[in-house]
Amino acid sequence: MRNMNGYLSGIIICVITFPAFITSSHADSTGIRPSPVEQQIIDQHLAAMKNPDERRATRDQGAAWLMTTFLCQDAARKTLVKLGSSPYRFFLQDERLDSQHVVSPALVEGRGQFLHAGTATIRWTSFSWACHLDPATGHVLGFVARPGPDVVPGP
């Protein structure tokens, strides 16, 4: 009986300690979660990751990062290129905390930076952005970026 109690205690501890294995629903720091369809799209991206350590680290990023990366990034690329960005040299976050946040399953907002394409010098520009989503389909309805000042080069 003693071994059985230890065994059951171990199972209970695993269930309490590792809830991410039971549910894949992610909430933002505000407690707002992606819609069920948005979560399904995110889960498909996570499941496609072959490396379990990479999958676990990515899953733990939180709703804002997951929604930004897996739902908004491609739409952002199109918009930012029109503003002069290099297509693969932009970040939908900056160095400050909370640079991305989920307002609702239909809206993710944040701050970012992009590298200008085709210039002789390295020039990064800050911008604020809003990713408008259709929670029923997980598709981007629109991505709006408002350029700000150039980023001052660091040390």
Side-chain angles (χ1 to χ4, degrees):
M1 187 68 172
R2 180 175 232 195
N3 286 342
M4 185 61 130
N5 284 339
Y7 178 74
L8 291 176
S9 296
I11 291 174
I12 291 169
I13 289 170
C14 285
V15 169
I16 292 170
T17 309
F18 301 106
F21 293 120
I22 297 168
T23 177
S24 60
S25 181
H26 301 92
D28 188 30
S29 59
T30 62
I32 299 171
R33 298 179 184 281
S35 73
V37 173
E38 292 167 342
Q39 187 62 54
Q40 182 180 13
I41 293 168
I42 291 167
D43 289 343
Q44 288 170 348
H45 283 280
L46 292 171
M49 294 179 175
K50 294 184 184 352
N51 183 315
D53 293 331
E54 181 183 356
R55 185 173 44 253
R56 185 175 24 263
T58 302
R59 181 185 58 232
D60 293 343
Q61 290 298 311
W65 190 89
L66 292 167
M67 291 175 78
T68 298
T69 301
F70 297 126
L71 302 177
C72 300
Q73 190 163 327
D74 288 337
R77 179 174 291 107
K78 293 174 191 169
T79 299
L80 294 172
V81 165
K82 289 177 185 175
L83 294 175
S85 174
S86 174
Y88 298 100
R89 300 287 190 246
F90 66 87
F91 299 99
L92 296 179
Q93 60 190 27
D94 61 21
E95 74 284 355
R96 294 175 284 164
L97 294 176
D98 282 339
S99 59
Q100 306 165 329
H101 61 278
V102 180
V103 176
S104 73
L107 179 61
V108 183
E109 295 179 328
R111 299 179 308 270
Q113 303 173 5
F114 67 83
L115 178 67
H116 285 267
T119 60
T121 59
I122 296 175
R123 182 175 154 221
W124 288 88
T125 297
S126 65
F127 63 95
S128 59
W129 57 268
C131 180
H132 301 273
L133 299 159
D134 178 353
T137 65
H139 293 122
V140 176
L141 299 174
F143 187 92
V144 179
R146 292 176 268 326
D150 283 355
V151 177
V152 178

